[in-house]
Amino acid sequence: SGSDWLPATSHSVYVRSICGAGDTLDWRGPVSFAMPCEAIILDGTTSFSEGFEGLTTSGTVPTCWTSSHISGPGTSLWGSYSGTAHSGSRMMRLPDMSATTLTDLVSPEFSIAAAGQYQVSLWVKRTSSYTGKVNEGVKVWVNSTPDTVGGTMLFHARRSIEQQPAVSEEGWYEYTGVIPMGGTVYVIMQGISEYGSQTLIDDFSVLPAPSCSDPVGFVYDAESNSVSWTAGSASEWQVQEGDELTIVGN
């Protein structure tokens, strides 16, 4: 057995028989296998960051990360890319693909002590090409499983500078969202392709949340004809529609 085999490492093992002095048979094998990844423990004092600088081969993802095709006609995946990154020279890239294609990039598993204790930070490249692609970019979700089913969307960072939240010029912009759950947590970065341009992200972090933070999962529900959100670390919110301001609280 390999009691010293570390998590997230790969191994190839051979064996051969020793029949006597000077009598050794040929090697048999290898048996190849990988040790499973372990959850990254975030206890309120620690943090996690990934800048993708260790990925020297284009098209790869970090150890314990996964990329998978979810739906639509495109088949490319998230992968390491070299260029003008937010920091360093490597980033993650989702190539331009046909409209309606969804592609997930999933973080390692985290173990978080309490809801609202941590936030996700991600830098996204905003560009001025094909500005009419209204949803192309990345939605960031959290969930207890490595998919978006039943998860909570933290934010939607669109690639085009003209789409919400609109910005004045091209460049790298940081987006954050508080994780509204504890226990087992995966962060899912779901790339949305609309046959416009590639999506670039960099410098992913899971950090202790500030004492007061933005709400997440802000949506309109047609059935109930209402808007709702998941609380960050605040207990009161100011809501604006037109010129009308309303204070709501727990």
Side-chain angles (χ1 to χ4, degrees):
S1 65
S3 58
D4 58 346
W5 290 331
L6 298 175
T9 56
S10 297
H11 305 272
S12 294
V13 179
Y14 298 79
V15 65
R16 64 179 177 179
S17 297
I18 301 174
C19 302
D23 185 9
T24 304
L25 301 185
D26 292 339
W27 288 106
R28 292 290 182 259
V31 172
S32 297
F33 54 92
M35 300 302 294
C37 297
E38 290 186 347
I40 297 167
I41 297 175
L42 300 176
D43 61 5
T45 63
T46 54
S47 60
F48 174 87
S49 62
E50 176 59 73
F52 311 110
E53 293 302 305
L55 300 174
T56 57
T57 302
S58 294
T60 57
V61 300
T63 301
C64 299
W65 291 63
T66 60
S67 179
S68 59
H69 172 261
I70 302 303
S71 63
T75 58
S76 297
L77 299 176
W78 288 97
S80 173
Y81 186 66
S82 177
T84 306
H86 171 249
S87 64
S89 61
R90 308 294 299 192
M91 68 202 96
M92 294 299 286
R93 171 181 180 258
L94 182 65
D96 181 24
M97 288 186 287
S98 299
T100 72
T101 300
L102 300 178
T103 311
D104 283 359
L105 175 66
V106 182
S107 76
E109 176 188 346
F110 298 104
S111 178
I112 297 177
Q117 192 175 40
Y118 278 84
Q119 70 174 11
V120 174
S121 167
L122 184 69
W123 289 82
V124 180
K125 182 68 176 292
R126 306 292 301 275
T127 66
S128 59
S129 59
Y130 299 97
T131 55
K133 308 300 182 179
V134 297
N135 289 310
E136 191 166 69
V138 57
K139 287 184 177 180
V140 175
W141 298 70
V142 289
N143 204 357
S144 59
T145 56
D147 53 53
T148 62
V149 178
T152 298
M153 189 183 76
L154 301 187
F155 54 84
H156 183 181
R158 294 166 174 85
R159 176 196 56 77
S160 166
I161 64 173
E162 293 186 6
Q163 304 303 327
Q164 294 300 316
V167 294
S168 59
E169 59 184 8
E170 290 190 326
W172 287 95
Y173 292 84
E174 183 185 22
Y175 297 91
T176 62
V178 173
I179 300 173
M181 57 187 293
T184 297
V185 175
Y186 294 88
V187 182
I188 304 100
M189 286 142 278
Q190 186 166 86
I192 302 169
S193 300
E194 293 186 333
Y195 205 38
S197 186
Q198 64 187 1
T199 296
L200 301 173
I201 62 174
D202 199 8
D203 291 331
F204 168 89
S205 300
V206 181
L207 307 164
S211 58
C212 189
S213 60
D214 291 329
V216 298
F218 185 39
V219 296
Y220 169 74
D221 180 67
E223 183 174 343
S224 63
N225 192 31
S226 64
V227 295
S228 64
W229 57 88
T230 300
S233 51
S235 58
E236 285 189 325
W237 300 268
Q238 190 175 59
V239 180
Q240 178 176 3
E241 181 185 5
D243 295 329
E244 181 179 352
L245 292 174
T246 306
I247 302 294
V248 297
N250 288 339

